[in-house]
């Protein structure tokens, strides 16, 4: 009757129970979106602690002046461009929000790829393991190209598994535009597609898999190379943009750096857990010939570690290893107890870190010695470093040496979460010889 208000009909009991269950056990996508809660509190704490902050900001600014200069070899034009845009309109807060958005996109794509192939529980395992990795946490909350590159690699995998080959190639290409090392991850996935039995389609002919992979690869190469045209033009159409200043040193030093920084990345407790539970962790390898994602995890892990052995720079460069670990745990259907222990060990690394060695010279080690100790964890140290930065609310002017000092001091502070002491030399200052350990 007009004017008479009636009570709304209650939802059916089944729908109400499903709604309650969805909050108790969220879908991988919803869990990925929830992860933003971990990252958003950091967006107001400045640009972060990466040593390339000043170089990337300068590069982004140079694009708007029409005088583009790459930030470091071989250039990362996509990241330099988006950083320049975000910084121009919103400073550090908007730059950090961009990293948060990229991190969440990476987690959403990861969860959906796993869920499609191995179910919702596996998707949740992958998301929570990846989201709580301390170095991913840092990358998701500061200026850097790491989360962008991972996000587009995973979007590419997501598209490839739905047979959207051109979109997959474009996504892999954009990931390379953000970070050249992402080319190894794209190549690892395409190799995984064409090797083994393949789970794209159990009856899919080998020729069809090769055709699909070649289509994706061709788009990736053509579009990916286009991102390096601006760096090439900026140095007078020469190969100078490909030259880095890394001094390799002898093999012992390289292996030592590689080992120390792997411990810094995973954390000693996590590594012990992984070694003890290695039979469970490696169980998915029994299905290596059957599952594309298992082959991708193996190929990506080998490529990442070999590249890092050759260029043992920052622990955060090992982020693809966190993705590989998440994939193996998810695909292998790890128990709740094992997942809980690994997540707990990662959260412990966020709070407390174990340092194992001290270099003879900070950032230019030719030797070192065993020096165990406890220090602030990766995330706790990041917060402390960013709170201690005193720039009157802004990064120093990019036209002054103070901006170079700020970037170096930020990185030296970040290194305290994994490096014992600073060696007998003072931290590097702008104008000193370029040192390799960056």
């Amino acid at each position: 009757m007009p004017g008479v208000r009636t009570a709304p009909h209650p939802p059916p009991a089944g729908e109400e129970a499903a709604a309650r269950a969805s909050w108790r056990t969220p879908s991988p996508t919803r869990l990925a979106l929830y992860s933003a809660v971990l990252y958003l509190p950091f967006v107001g704490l400045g640009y972060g602690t990466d040593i390339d902050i000043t170089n990337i900001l300068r590069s982004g600014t140079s694009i708007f002046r029409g005088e583009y200069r790459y930030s470091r070899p071989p250039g990362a034009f996509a990241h330099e461009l988006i950083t320049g845009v975000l910084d121009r309109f919103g400073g550090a807060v908007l730059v950090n929000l961009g990293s948060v958005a990229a991190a969440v996109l990476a987690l959403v794509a990861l969860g959906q790829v796993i869920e499609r192939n191995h179910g919702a529980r596996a998707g949740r395992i992958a998301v929570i393991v990846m989201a709580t990795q301390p170095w991913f946490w840092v990358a998701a909350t500061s200026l850097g190209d790491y989360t962008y590159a991972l996000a587009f690699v995973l979007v590419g995998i997501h598209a490839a598994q739905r047979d959207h080959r051109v979109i997959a190639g474009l996504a892999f290409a954009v990931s390379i535009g953000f970070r050249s090392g992402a080319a190894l991850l794209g190549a690892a996935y395409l190799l995984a597609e064409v090797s083994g039995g393949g789970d794209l389609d159990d009856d899919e002919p080998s020729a069809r898999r090769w055709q699909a992979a070649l289509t994706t690869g061709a788009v990736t190469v053509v579009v990916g190379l286009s991102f390096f045209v601006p760096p090439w033009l900026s140095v007078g159409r020469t190969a100078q943009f490909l030259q880095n200043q890394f001094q390799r040193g002898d093999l012992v030093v390289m292996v030592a750096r590689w080992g120390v920084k792997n411990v810094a990345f995973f954390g000693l407790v996590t590594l012990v857990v992984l070694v003890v539970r290695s039979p469970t962790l490696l169980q998915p390898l029994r299905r290596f010939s059957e599952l594309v994602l298992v082959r991708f995890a193996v190929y990506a892990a080998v490529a990442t570690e070999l590249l890092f052995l050759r260029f043992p720079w920052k622990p955060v460069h090992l982020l693809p290893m966190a993705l590989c670990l998440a994939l193996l745990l998810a695909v292998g259907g790890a128990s709740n107890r094992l997942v809980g222990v690994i997540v707990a060990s990662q959260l412990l690394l966020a709070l407390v870190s174990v340092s194992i060695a001290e270099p003879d010279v900070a950032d230019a080690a030719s030797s070192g010695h065993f020096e165990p100790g406890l220090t602030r964890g990766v995330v706790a140290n990041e917060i402390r470093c960013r709170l201690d930065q005193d720039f009157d609310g802004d990064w120093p002017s990019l036209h002054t040496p103070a901006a170079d000092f700020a970037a170096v001091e930020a990185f030296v502070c970040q290194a305290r979460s994994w490096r014992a002491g600073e060696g007998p030399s003072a931290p590097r200052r702008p104008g000193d010889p370029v040192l390799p350990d960056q």
Side-chain angles (χ1 to χ4, degrees):
M1 295 177 59
V4 178
R5 301 181 62 184
T6 59
H9 294 290
E15 292 183 11
E16 186 176 352
R20 288 198 302 269
S22 70
W23 284 104
R24 290 196 299 268
T25 55
S27 68
T29 297
R30 180 175 289 179
L31 187 61
L33 295 174
Y34 291 164
S35 68
V37 174
L38 293 174
Y39 311 139
L40 288 174
F42 290 75
V43 299
L45 298 180
Y47 293 104
T49 56
D50 195 283
I51 198 170
D52 290 317
I53 289 174
T54 294
N55 290 336
I56 295 170
L57 290 175
R58 283 174 177 161
S59 183
T61 301
S62 73
I63 295 174
F64 288 96
R65 295 199 310 266
E67 304 170 352
Y68 171 70
R69 297 291 294 182
Y70 58 88
S71 56
R72 71 276 194 211
F77 186 75
H79 184 239
E80 293 155 353
L81 175 61
I82 197 169
T83 299
V85 172
L86 295 176
D87 188 57
R88 187 180 184 91
F89 292 102
V93 171
L94 197 54
V95 168
N96 292 341
L97 284 174
S99 294
V100 171
V104 172
L105 175 61
L107 294 172
V108 168
L110 173 62
Q112 291 186 0
V113 165
I114 296 292
E115 183 178 20
R116 179 176 186 268
N117 293 276
H118 301 281
R121 179 180 180 274
R124 287 191 291 271
I125 289 174
V127 169
I128 195 169
V129 170
M130 190 74 184
T132 57
Q133 214 291 331
W135 289 100
F136 184 81
W137 200 334
V138 168
T141 59
S142 53
L143 189 157
D145 52 28
Y146 313 104
T147 57
Y148 288 97
L150 279 177
F152 281 100
V153 166
L154 287 163
V155 167
I157 294 174
H158 188 277
Q161 295 209 330
R162 285 157 178 76
D163 206 27
H164 302 312
R165 310 309 306 194
V166 173
I167 295 175
L170 290 173
F172 287 150
V174 173
S175 74
I176 295 169
F178 276 99
R179 184 167 187 80
S180 59
L184 292 177
L185 300 183
Y189 181 76
L190 294 179
L191 178 60
E193 282 193 330
V194 299
S195 61
D199 60 1
L200 295 176
D201 186 338
D202 290 339
D203 300 319
E204 187 174 31
S206 176
R208 171 69 180 89
R209 294 202 307 272
W210 273 97
Q211 181 182 8
L214 288 174
T215 298
T216 302
V219 174
T220 300
V221 170
V222 172
V223 180
L225 286 175
S226 70
F227 284 103
F228 299 100
V229 172
W232 175 67
L233 292 175
S234 73
V235 291
R237 296 177 173 85
T238 69
Q240 183 182 342
F241 75 102
L242 297 174
Q243 300 172 5
N244 67 67
Q245 296 170 319
F246 179 74
Q247 300 174 21
R248 184 173 61 181
D250 61 43
L251 182 61
V252 173
V253 172
M254 289 177 62
V255 171
R257 288 175 175 172
W258 173 85
V260 166
K261 292 177 184 179
N262 265 277
V263 173
F265 179 79
F266 287 104
L268 192 59
V269 175
T270 302
L271 285 175
V272 170
V273 172
L274 295 180
V275 170
V276 171
R277 298 301 303 272
S278 58
T280 300
L281 179 66
L282 299 178
Q283 192 172 13
L285 298 186
R286 297 177 182 176
R287 303 182 65 189
F288 181 85
S289 64
E290 302 172 32
L291 301 179
V292 167
L293 293 179
V294 171
R295 294 195 296 276
F296 167 66
V298 172
Y299 297 154
V302 171
T304 298
E305 290 291 3
L306 287 177
L307 180 65
F308 194 72
L309 179 61
R310 175 62 181 84
F311 299 107
W313 287 335
K314 312 168 192 173
V316 73
H317 289 174
L318 288 167
L319 268 182
M321 294 301 296
L323 172 61
C324 298
L325 174 61
L327 287 172
L328 291 178
L329 287 168
V331 172
S335 66
N336 290 342
R337 177 176 296 180
L338 177 57
V339 173
V341 169
I342 289 177
V343 169
S345 67
Q346 292 187 156
L347 294 177
L348 179 63
L349 177 61
L351 299 175
V352 180
S353 181
V354 177
S355 59
I356 62 172
E358 181 177 359
D360 59 339
V361 179
D363 296 323
S366 59
S367 66
H369 62 274
F370 182 60
E371 186 70 28
L374 291 177
T375 185
R376 287 190 298 269
V378 175
V379 177
N381 185 67
E382 180 79 5
I383 295 172
R384 176 65 181 270
C385 291
R386 292 166 77 163
L387 289 175
D388 285 350
Q389 291 174 350
D390 183 18
F391 307 133
D392 296 325
D394 294 306
W395 196 255
S397 172
L398 299 178
H399 303 292
T400 66
D404 297 294
F405 279 90
V408 172
E409 289 172 357
F411 178 71
V412 168
C413 189
Q414 182 196 86
R416 290 175 186 150
S417 71
W418 53 269
R419 183 172 61 201
E422 293 294 346
S425 66
R428 182 170 67 88
R429 292 294 189 235
D432 289 348
V434 176
L435 300 176
D437 191 15
Q438 298 180 7

